[in-house]
């Protein structure tokens, strides 16, 4: 629970005190975002190697580098742990933090499978601690505006979702993107975004926070380490809505999220959250007749600072789940990702599977 600075009713809330677990790429990005959050304070960082924690702490100006992951979990000044380690470690690190009485923001994908996610959410429920899968774009004003425009009927009834998250990475077999022992694969690394987006938009259409596909057709290709490097899926949802989603770790950056309705389309110019800073981002509304219209969305924080502030506000309110990405939503995404991964043939030939 976020602590109150004093007991008077006008007391301002003390910042949420974060411990960062892991010192890799995203840990650095998040540490910088936390330093700009008025609702947060980073008190500790932990690494498998205490020297790395000390270096990270010096660069990011974090007061307490821990001797180990376990030592940071014993630190009573840490309210919440940000898990920034490879996917395969999320289950164990999250449960250790929850059992130590910490809230947890865990990087996506929350678990390697639906089973992992169920174990993690059961642990959060048992220990009465906040847990959220770190889908930053869900906490961003862009997503709120998109949902409001869809709810207001701007494009009429949504019928098609077209979403992709692809990027080119050099093939390094031991890198977590390609190493099966570290949870490699495009679906888990970036396919989780278009999947979560499609389920969120389907939820808007159904008047719910999210909706599950009734059918999933998918295929893709694995690389030499055996993990998927590109994948596509077609999802069928209630209300005549379907989605075409794709992802890759080996092909040029094409990031896309478009919702097409009976009266026009809404396209996100920076679909997975504006990363470049700036003071605004845009949705493009293209009506079936007439000229496209730019919808400007003012922004005053970075993508990750919005996420940190959202987490602090939810915890201050006493909730264990985020309304932007609750436990049922994470479980549904994991179930759909399980089906998508199972559809990727072992040896190149195309294949399809039927969903729930
Ligand atoms: N939300 C986003 O935009 C975003 C972007 C990138 C990544 N991510 C997610 O964040 C997680 C980490 O990704 P990353 O790109 O930051 O990875 P990374 O650069 O490889 O860093 C991962 C860190 O985890 C720690 N670690 C613990 N066990 C490890 C092991 N067995 N092998 C390697 N490192 C291990 C290491 O820190 P220590 O040695 O200090 O313990 C390492 O620096 C992934 O789950 C990924 O999906 C999210």
């Amino acid at each position: 629970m976020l602590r109150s600075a004093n007991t008077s009713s006008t007391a301002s809330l003390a910042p949420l005190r974060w411990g960062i677990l892991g010192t890799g790429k995203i840990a650095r990005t998040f540490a910088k975002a936390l330093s700009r959050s008025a609702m947060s304070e980073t008190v500790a960082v932990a690494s498998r190697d205490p020297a790395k924690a000390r270096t990270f702490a010096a660069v990011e100006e974090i007061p307490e580098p821990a001797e180990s992951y376990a030592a940071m979990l014993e630190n009573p000044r840490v309210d919440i742990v940000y898990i920034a380690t490879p996917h395969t470690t999320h289950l164990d690190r999250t449960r250790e933090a929850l059992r130590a009485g910490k809230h947890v923001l865990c990087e996506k994908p929350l678990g390697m499978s639906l089973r992992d996610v169920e174990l993690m959410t059961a642990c959060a429920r048992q220990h009465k601690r906040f847990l959220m899968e770190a889908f930053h774009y869900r906490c961003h004003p862009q997503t709120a505006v998109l949902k409001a425009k869809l709810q207001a009927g701007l494009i009429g009834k949504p019928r098609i979702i077209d979403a992709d998250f692809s990027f080119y990475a050099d093939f390094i077999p031991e890198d977590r993107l390609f190493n099966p022992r570290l949870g490699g694969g495009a679906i888990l690394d970036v396919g989780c975004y278009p999947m979560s987006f499609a389920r969120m938009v389907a939820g808007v259409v159904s008047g719910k926070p999210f909706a599950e596909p009734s059918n999933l057709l998918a295929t893709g290709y694995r690389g030499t380490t055996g993990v998927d490097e590109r994948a596509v899926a077609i999802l069928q949802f209630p209300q005549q809505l379907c989605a075409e989603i794709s992802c890759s770790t080996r092909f040029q950056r094409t990031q896309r999220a478009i919702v097409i309705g009976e009266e026009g389309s809404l396209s996100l110019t920076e679909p997975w959250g504006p990363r470049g800073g700036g003071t605004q981002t845009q949705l493009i509304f293209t009506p079936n007749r007439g000229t496209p219209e730019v919808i400007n969305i003012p922004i005053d924080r970075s993508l990750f600072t919005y996420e940190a502030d959202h987490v602090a506000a939810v915890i201050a309110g006493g909730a264990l789940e985020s309304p932007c990405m609750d436990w049922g939503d994470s479980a549904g995404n994991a179930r759909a990702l399980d089906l998508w991964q199972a559809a990727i043939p072992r040896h190149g030939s195309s294949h399809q599977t039927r969903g729930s």
Side-chain angles (χ1 to χ4, degrees):
M1 198 69 55
L2 190 60
R3 297 150 306 114
S4 190
N6 62 53
T7 53
S8 83
S9 58
T10 55
S12 60
L13 289 171
L16 185 65
R17 300 172 305 184
W18 293 77
I20 296 175
L21 199 140
T23 58
K25 289 187 281 296
I26 203 63
R28 290 232 175 248
T29 302
F30 198 70
K32 289 179 184 10
L34 281 179
S35 72
R36 294 179 199 116
S37 164
M39 303 166 77
S40 298
E41 176 187 357
T42 311
V43 296
V45 58
S47 169
R48 295 168 298 173
D49 173 355
K52 274 168 72 181
R54 285 194 287 277
T55 303
F56 190 103
V59 173
E60 305 300 336
E61 300 180 2
I62 297 170
E64 300 185 50
E67 283 301 301
S68 65
Y69 291 165
M72 191 174 78
L73 299 186
E74 288 169 11
N75 184 339
R77 287 174 297 285
V78 171
D79 300 318
I80 181 164
V81 174
Y82 171 62
I83 311 257
T85 54
H87 320 333
T88 44
T89 65
H90 290 179
L91 171 64
D92 289 345
R93 297 296 88 77
T94 293
R95 289 200 296 184
E96 287 159 9
L98 293 168
R99 287 171 183 149
K102 309 301 184 190
H103 302 297
V104 171
L105 175 67
C106 177
E107 264 309 336
K108 40 54 56 177
L110 189 56
M112 289 292 294
S113 63
L114 173 60
R115 179 182 168 278
D116 281 11
V117 170
E118 288 176 341
L119 290 169
M120 294 158 93
T121 56
C123 188
R125 189 177 292 111
Q126 181 189 352
H127 293 276
K128 298 187 174 51
R129 289 295 178 273
F130 173 88
L131 170 65
M132 179 183 166
E133 180 173 19
F135 272 120
H136 43 45
Y137 84 91
R138 290 285 191 96
C139 313
H140 197 273
Q142 171 176 271
T143 298
V145 172
L146 172 76
K147 288 166 80 171
K149 296 291 180 194
L150 294 175
Q151 280 157 351
L154 182 65
I155 61 167
K157 292 196 168 86
R159 296 298 195 212
I160 301 168
I161 299 161
D162 176 4
D164 171 88
F165 195 155
S166 295
F167 66 99
Y168 171 83
D170 287 330
F171 178 69
I172 303 168
E174 56 278 8
D175 188 277
R176 70 166 187 81
L177 291 176
F178 303 104
N179 183 343
R181 288 190 306 282
L182 295 178
I187 292 174
L188 283 180
D189 195 60
V190 280
C192 55
Y193 286 93
M195 180 65 82
S196 66
F197 180 83
R199 294 175 50 263
M200 179 188 77
V201 171
V204 174
V205 171
S206 305
K208 298 185 288 193
F210 56 88
E212 303 304 346
S214 54
N215 200 15
L216 180 150
L217 303 172
T219 192
Y221 290 91
R222 295 174 193 274
T224 53
T225 58
V227 308
D228 62 278
E229 294 184 355
R230 57 193 154 119
V232 296
I234 297 171
L235 314 173
Q236 193 174 19
F237 289 103
Q239 317 242 13
Q240 296 182 39
L241 177 68
C242 57
E244 302 164 45
I245 63 172
S246 55
C247 62
S248 176
T249 51
R250 291 288 286 156
F251 292 88
Q252 281 189 7
R253 183 168 286 264
T254 53
Q255 300 188 358
R256 193 169 64 246
I258 307 166
V259 186
I260 303 159
E262 290 184 338
E263 292 168 28
S265 67
L266 264 174
S267 171
L268 285 73
T269 56
E270 300 174 281
W272 313 120
R275 284 167 187 264
T279 56
Q280 62 180 26
T281 187
Q282 283 96 27
L283 302 182
I284 310 293
F285 168 51
T286 307
N288 286 347
R289 292 177 202 81
T291 49
E293 178 190 324
V294 176
I295 301 169
N296 285 315
I297 303 165
I299 53 178
D300 60 9
R301 274 159 274 180
S302 78
L303 178 60
F304 291 88
T305 305
Y306 273 115
E307 180 179 46
D309 288 350
H310 169 77
V311 169
V314 173
I315 291 176
L320 302 185
E321 299 182 55
S322 159
C324 295
M325 192 72 209
D326 68 22
W327 299 346
D329 205 343
S330 286
N333 219 50
R335 184 184 300 109
L337 296 180
D338 284 353
L339 289 168
W340 194 2
Q341 290 179 91
I344 309 304
R346 290 278 144 200
H347 301 292
S349 62
S350 80
H351 182 69
Q352 70 178 41
T353 189
R354 182 169 284 274
S356 52

